[in-house]
Amino acid sequence: MNIELPILTSEQETEVAEQQLNRKLYVETYGCQMNVNDTEIVQGVMHKHGYDVTDTPDNADVILLNTCAIRDNAEKKIHERLNHLKYYKKRNKDLVVGILGCMAERLRGDLLGEKNLVDLVVGPDEYRRVPELVENALGGGQGVAVKLSRVETYDDIIPLRTEGISSWVSIMRGCDKFCTFCVVPFTRGRERSRGMQSIVDEVKYLWDSGFKETTLLGQNVNSYRDEEGGYDFADLLDACAKAAPQLRIRYTTSHPYDMSDKLIETMAMHKNICEYIHLPVQSGSDRILKLMNRHYSVEHYIERIAKIKEYMPNCALSTDIIVGFCTETEEDHTMTMQLMREVRYDGAYMFNYSPRENTKAWKMGDDVPDEVKTRRLNEIIEQQTKIAAEINKTEEGKTFEVLVEGPSKSSTKNNSNDQWRGRTDHNKIVVFPHSESVSYVVGDTINVRVNRSTSATLFGDVVAG
Ligand code: 5AD
Ligand code: SF4
C-alpha cells in the first residue's frame, strides 16, 4: 500500500503549527552517525511544525524510530523494539508510531502491517513530508513516502541539535560505490553533495553557537564535489578549518580509493583538523576486495597508510572489517589478520558478513558457515584488542588536550560524578578524576596526563596547561 498525500500549502502549515504547539515528539536513533544527523533534521522539520522534542517515549504523542538496514541484526533490533512499543500504543490509542531511515526505504509498505502498530514509513529522502504524514496518521490514516531523490540534501533545514558540544554536519548524501555487500546505495540512493558555502556557513554558525567539535558526514566524504565551484573534499575541509580555526573538525567515512594526497596534506596543514582517519579496509585479501567491488588492492591501501603516516606520523587510524564474505577461505582470513598487524589500527569495527537482499553479493550466496564466521570474528577481535592495548600503553606518561564531555559512563551509572570523560584529538576516550572544586566545565579543553590504559580507554590526571 502506498498512500500519496497532498502537500500542505504554507497557510495550512501555519495552521498546523498553531494547532500542534503542545504535541511531543520522541525520536529514537539506530545505526550510523548519518542517522544521528538525520534525526536532528527530522526534529528540525517537526519543530517548525509546532512539535516539542522529548527525550522519553513515556509522554510522547509521536514516536519515530530512525532505523538502519546494514545488517540483519540491525533490523531484528527494530522488530523487537516495535514489540515493546505495542504497550505504549495500548496505553494511548492516539499514539502515532513511524519508521524512518534505511529500513523504511528497504521494506516500505510491508512495515505498515507490522504488529498493527506502524502508522507511517518514511525513507531518507522524504523527511520534509514527516509532518504531513504524522498529521494524516493522527486522523487515522497510514502513509508511506520512500521516493529517493537525486538532489535532496536538506541544505536549507536547520537541524535541531540537543547536544551542545559535538555536532554533526552532513555534507553529502547517498553512495555510488556499490560495494557488492552493501545495501546503502539502495536505501540512500545516488550520491549528491551540498554546496560548499552553505556547509562552511553552518560550521561557522556552530562555532559561534558554542559547539567545540564538528564531524563532517557522508557515506563516502572524499568523493564530495561542489560542482559549481569545482571544489573537492580537501577544499571543503580547508575552508571549514579556516572559517572556525578553534573548532575541532573531524570527518567520516572515507573510501581508500579516494584518499588523495591533497586531502592528507590538507589535514596535516591545519591544527584544528583532528589527526584521526577512519579508513574501512573490509578485507586483507585482494581476491575478496575484488569480489566486494572495493576498487583498490591491499598494496594501494598500505601505500595510502604510508602516505598518511609520512605527513602525520601520529595520526590515529580505525577501520571496518567484514569476516566471512562469500567464498572467504582460511587463507583470505589470514591475510586480513596480517594486514591488521601491519597497519596496527587504534580501533576497528568488525562484523560477520550479513547477506542483504538486492545486493550483488546476495546472488553470490552465503557459503561461509556461521560458526566459521564467528570463530574468525573472535580471532580478529582478540588480535585487535591486543594491538589497541599495546598502542594505548605507549600513551602512558604523555599529556593530551582533552575536550571535556561530562561524567564518565561508570560515574553516570552509579550516580557518583567523581570520574569525568573527554576525548583526545585522536578520538580516544580519556577518563579522569573529578570533584566539585575543579575549574573546568563541559566543553572546555584541558590537559590530562595519562597514567593507565586499557584497549578502549585512557585514564589520567588533569594537569596545568
Ligand atoms: N554485512 C556485514 N557488514 C556490512 N557492512 C556493510 N554492509 C555489510 C554487510 N552486508 C559494514 C562495512 C561498512 C560498515 C559501515 O558496515 O564494514 O564499512
Ligand atoms: Fe556501502 Fe561501500 Fe557505499 Fe560504504 S562505500 S556506503 S560500504 S556501498
Side-chain angles (χ1 to χ4, degrees):
M1 183 167 28
N2 190 346
I3 302 165
E4 285 295 325
L5 292 158
I7 305 287
L8 300 182
T9 64
S10 57
E11 264 166 45
Q12 285 169 317
E13 281 188 356
T14 316
E15 221 172 85
V16 170
E18 277 163 12
Q19 282 166 11
Q20 294 176 342
L21 277 174
N22 293 321
R23 291 219 184 105
K24 289 201 163 53
L25 165 73
Y26 170 71
V27 192
E28 219 164 73
T29 310
Y30 296 81
C32 64
Q33 288 155 340
M34 284 295 285
N35 266 10
V36 174
N37 187 236
D38 278 2
T39 288
E40 293 171 341
I41 287 170
V42 171
Q43 289 176 168
V45 170
M46 288 294 276
H47 189 64
K48 225 173 142 189
H49 281 75
Y51 283 79
D52 291 328
V53 171
T54 168
D55 58 3
T56 158
D58 295 331
N59 60 357
D61 301 290
V62 180
I63 297 180
L64 303 175
L65 305 184
N66 192 0
T67 62
C68 171
I70 203 132
R71 284 170 290 277
D72 188 47
N73 53 12
E75 291 197 1
K76 283 209 176 102
K77 232 192 244 170
I78 300 297
H79 290 296
E80 277 163 24
R81 186 62 180 138
L82 284 172
N83 253 337
H84 280 119
L85 293 184
K86 270 197 307 207
Y87 299 104
Y88 289 89
K89 191 99 165 187
K90 239 184 219 162
R91 261 190 0 215
N92 170 10
K93 277 195 315 304
D94 298 327
L95 174 72
V96 169
V97 174
I99 307 275
L100 316 177
C102 287
M103 189 174 164
E105 190 65 45
R106 200 180 83 75
L107 297 174
R108 304 174 166 225
D110 291 355
L111 285 165
L112 289 181
E114 182 99 13
K115 300 173 178 85
N116 239 343
L117 178 70
V118 177
D119 304 296
L120 57 134
V121 176
V122 189
D125 285 347
E126 296 257 46
Y127 293 150
R128 289 177 198 271
R129 295 187 60 195
V130 173
E132 163 206 342
L133 288 155
V134 166
E135 194 57 24
N136 174 60
L138 286 163
Q142 284 186 312
V144 178
V146 289
K147 251 191 240 139
L148 287 172
S149 158
R150 284 182 178 270
V151 291
E152 180 62 272
T153 60
Y154 302 114
D155 209 15
D156 57 319
I157 290 177
I158 301 169
L160 191 92
R161 297 180 167 96
T162 48
E163 205 247 288
I165 304 299
S166 297
S167 50
W168 314 103
V169 174
S170 296
I171 62 161
M172 59 180 309
R173 300 182 70 85
C175 182
D176 283 351
K177 285 280 187 256
F178 286 95
C179 301
T180 56
F181 52 79
C182 188
V183 78
V184 167
F186 306 96
T187 59
R188 286 188 166 267
R190 297 287 59 74
E191 212 167 88
R192 67 220 97 115
S193 299
R194 282 175 62 182
M196 184 162 102
Q197 196 52 51
S198 97
I199 299 168
V200 173
D201 290 346
E202 187 170 345
V203 164
K204 174 108 184 30
Y205 162 82
L206 287 168
W207 173 253
D208 292 342
S209 325
F211 284 90
K212 306 292 180 197
E213 183 176 83
T214 283
T215 306
L216 305 180
L217 292 176
Q219 240 67 46
N220 178 18
V221 286
N222 38 19
S223 54
Y224 171 87
R225 187 96 199 136
D226 174 327
E227 294 297 348
E228 233 166 72
Y231 302 116
D232 63 13
F233 181 59
D235 298 323
L236 173 69
L237 208 51
D238 181 66
C240 290
K242 284 179 181 149
Q246 277 155 299
L247 181 70
R248 264 190 183 182
I249 299 176
R250 305 183 184 282
Y251 64 88
T252 197
T253 291
S254 319
H255 192 291
Y257 178 80
D258 298 314
M259 191 80 215
S260 69
D261 287 359
K262 181 177 167 189
L263 174 55
I264 297 168
E265 285 159 21
T266 305
M267 282 183 78
M269 249 159 56
H270 294 281
K271 197 176 171 298
N272 62 327
I273 302 176
C274 292
E275 285 201 346
Y276 162 64
I277 303 179
H278 180 64
L279 200 61
V281 69
Q282 313 296 358
S283 169
S285 154
D286 281 341
R287 190 182 69 82
I288 295 291
L289 288 175
K290 202 154 195 194
L291 280 178
M292 287 176 163
N293 193 34
R294 289 290 290 180
H295 302 287
Y296 56 84
S297 62
V298 171
E299 192 187 346
H300 170 86
Y301 187 90
I302 295 283
E303 189 273 323
R304 289 294 79 197
I305 298 285
K307 187 84 194 175
I308 292 166
K309 293 281 179 181
E310 179 192 329
Y311 278 80
M312 294 172 283
N314 293 319
C315 187
L317 294 165
S318 64
T319 198
D320 292 341
I321 293 175
I322 298 177
V323 300
F325 187 67
C326 325
T327 78
E328 187 190 72
T329 61
E330 284 306 317
E331 201 187 344
D332 296 317
H333 170 59
T334 305
M335 291 184 206
T336 300
M337 296 278 283
Q338 164 58 29
L339 175 92
M340 292 171 77
R341 284 194 297 274
E342 194 169 339
V343 177
R344 291 180 68 77
Y345 295 103
D346 294 80
Y349 301 89
M350 297 162 277
F351 315 102
N352 275 352
Y353 169 57
S354 168
R356 309 309 288 138
E357 225 171 328
N358 290 327
T359 59
K360 264 203 171 159
W362 175 261
K363 293 174 208 99
M364 296 178 197
D366 179 24
D367 59 347
V368 180
D370 279 351
E371 57 278 16
V372 175
K373 283 183 189 169
T374 301
R375 194 252 304 146
R376 289 180 189 165
L377 183 65
N378 288 336
E379 281 174 15
I380 62 167
I381 290 174
E382 194 183 321
Q383 174 173 273
Q384 177 54 36
T385 307
K386 190 167 160 279
I387 292 171
E390 284 166 8
I391 295 176
N392 286 350
K393 190 97 198 143
T394 65
E395 312 287 36
E396 291 176 13
K398 294 184 194 160
T399 299
F400 292 94
E401 283 189 353
V402 172
L403 176 60
V404 178
E405 293 180 354
S408 72
K409 266 192 192 154
S410 65
S411 257
T412 308
K413 221 191 251 167
N414 55 31
N415 252 332
S416 62
N417 205 32
D418 59 352
Q419 300 283 318
W420 271 32
R421 62 179 249 165
R423 226 170 261 268
T424 66
D425 173 307
H426 288 165
N427 209 29
K428 293 200 178 171
I429 307 260
V430 185
V431 173
F432 45 90
H434 175 82
S435 68
E436 293 308 319
S437 61
V438 297
S439 55
Y440 58 78
V441 292
V442 172
D444 281 353
T445 300
I446 57 170
N447 287 301
V448 178
R449 188 170 185 277
V450 173
N451 53 33
R452 186 165 71 82
S453 65
T454 65
S455 61
T457 312
L458 304 175
F459 298 85
D461 290 310
V462 181
V463 293

